[in-house]
Amino acid sequence: MRQLQGMDSSFVAMESPNSPMHIGSVLIYNPATAPGSFVRFKDILGFLESRMQLSKTMRQRLVRVPFDLDYPYWIEDPDFDLEYHVRHVALPKPGDWRQLCIQAARIHARPLDLDRPPWEFTVIEGLDNVRGFPAGCFAFVTKVHHAAIDGMSGIDLMEALHTLKADTPPPSTPDTWKPEKLPNPVELLGKSYFNALLNPLKQAQVAAQAVPGIAKAIKGLVSKDFKLTSEYVAPRTRLNRTISPHRVVEGRSFPLADIKAIRALKPEAKVNDVALAIIGGALRKYLASKDDLPKATLTAMAPISVRSKDEKGDMGNQVAAMIAPLGTHIEDPAERLAYVFDKTSNSKAMTNAIGARTMTEVSKINPALYMALGAQLFSRVRLAHRTMPFNTVVTNVPGPPVHIYSTGARLESMALSLICLTDGLGLAHVVQSYVDEAYISFTACRDIIPDPEFYAECLQESFDEMLAQAKLASGEPAKPAAAKKAPAKKAPAKKAPAKRAAARKTVAKKPAATKSATSKPAASKTSKRPAKRKPQSSTRKIESKPAK
C-alpha cells in the first residue's frame, strides 16, 4: 500500500461528472506485420496479460480515506479483471476519420470507475475509410487517470505495452504480482491521524528548502534577469467558462522536419516554441472569426517534467508549470515566434530561479481535507472562469523515435492525444512526436468549441503560414499556391485504398503520400488524411472472441 502525494491527490479531488480527470490517446495500428497479417481481440488480451508485470499502473486501484481526511492510497487490486478494462467496438459505416473522432470523444467523456484500477483501453475496428491508412487497421483509445500518470510516465506505460520488434517474445521472468486486501476505515483513519501529526514537520522542511529559491527569485527580479508583466495575465475569452460533460477531439499531423525548419524564423527557438506559436496563430484565427479576439495575448500553462531517471517507472505526477504567452495579438508569424521565444525564456528563468522541483515538493504538503473542500468550492461556486490564471494548456510529450509494435501490429500513428478539462479551461492541447511526425491534438468542451474541424483548419493554416515564411527567410523557393493544403469537399462513402487519387471539387492536389505539410484531417466530411508508409495490410478484421 502506497500513499498518493499532493498533486496526484488533487486530480482525485477535482474529479466530477463534468470533469473526469483522465488522459489518453488514439493509436492506429497496421496488422500487416502481425502473424497471418491480422490480430484477434483475444490476441490483444493475451499480449497485455503477458506484459502486466512491466507496469505498476495496470493492477493498482485507489482507496480513499473516509471524509477525505488524508491522501488516498494505491493498493494491488484483489478483484482485478483484465477483460473489464479492455473493450472492443467497431465504427459504423463508412468508418471515416470524423466517426473515429466522435467515437474517441464519447469514450473520453465518460468517467473511469475509481473503485477499479483507473484505466481502460478500447479497441476500435472498422477504420477502412480513414484516409491515409490501409484497410484492416485498428485503433486503441486509451484512458488512464491523471492521478496515476503524467505525460512522461504515460510514455513509459506505453513503452511497457509495446515492443521494438513485431516478433518479440513475452517477458521470460515470472510474474510475482500478488493482490492486497482492502484496508478497513479504522486503519485508514489511524494512518491519517499519524500523518496529521507529521505534516507540520514536513511543511517546515519544504519551507526551509524553498527559501533559497524565493531569495533567488527576488534577486532575479531586482537585477531584471526576468520580468513580471501584464502579458502573463490571462484575458477572459469564450474558452474560460464552466464546461459541460461533452467533449470534442481533433488534431493535425505535421512532418517533424518542417516543424524544425520553422525555427529559421528564430534560430534560438526550440520545437516547443514553434508549437506554441502555431497554436497562438490558430487561436488568433479562431477567436477573430467569433469576434472574440482580445487585445491582450492569450496565455498557456506549459507543464515541465521534473521526473528524474530514478523515477522513470514511478506512478504519479512529477511536474511543475510555467505560463507561456502565445502571441495571439501578433499577426506576423515571424514576430509571433520571436515574441513567444522571448516570453518562454523569461518564464523558464523565473521557474529555474524558484526551482521546478521545489514547486512540485510544495504541492505534496497541502492538507488533503482543505484540498478536497477547495476543489468542491472551485467547481460549485463557479470561481474557475473568474480565477483561471491561463487560457489553455499546451503540453509537449516526446514519443518514440522509432516504430513500435503491439501484438505484432505496427503502430502507424499517434493520431490524437486526449487530455482532461476543468471548469474555466474549455480547451487543451497536446504536442506529441512519433518517428518523423509531430501531432498537435486538442480536447475541448463541445459547448465551447462546437466546430472542432474549423479549429483544426486554423491549426493547419497557422502552420502553413509559418512554414512558408520560414522557407522565404532561409532562401528556399516558395512552392506554388496549388501545393497549399485545402479541405476536400466531400469524402466518398465507399472504401478506398490508401494510394487512391484525391478526388476534389477544389484545386487539384498532389497525392497524399507527399510528406510536405502533412496534416491530420478535420473531423468532418471535408477531411483528408495523408497516405502512410508500407507495409500494406490484409483487409481481414479483428475477430472478437472471449479469452479462455
Side-chain angles (χ1 to χ4, degrees), residues 31 36-39 125 128 135-138 537-543:
S37 296
F38 74 99
V39 176
E125 63 170 312
D128 292 345
C137 285
F138 63 94
S537 168
S538 164
T539 60
R540 299 180 69 177
K541 298 182 179 179
I542 307 170
E543 297 178 8

Side-chain angles (χ1 to χ4, degrees), residues 80 130 243 276 281 313 319 347 417 486 512 538:
F80 178 72
V130 176
I243 63 173
L276 290 169
V319 294
S347 293
S417 296
S538 164

Side-chain angles (χ1 to χ4, degrees), residues 10-34:
S10 69
F11 289 114
V12 179
M14 293 172 66
E15 178 86 13
S16 73
N18 283 13
S19 300
M21 291 286 106
H22 53 256
I23 58 178
S25 57
V26 178
L27 311 173
I28 299 179
Y29 297 87
N30 185 352
T33 54

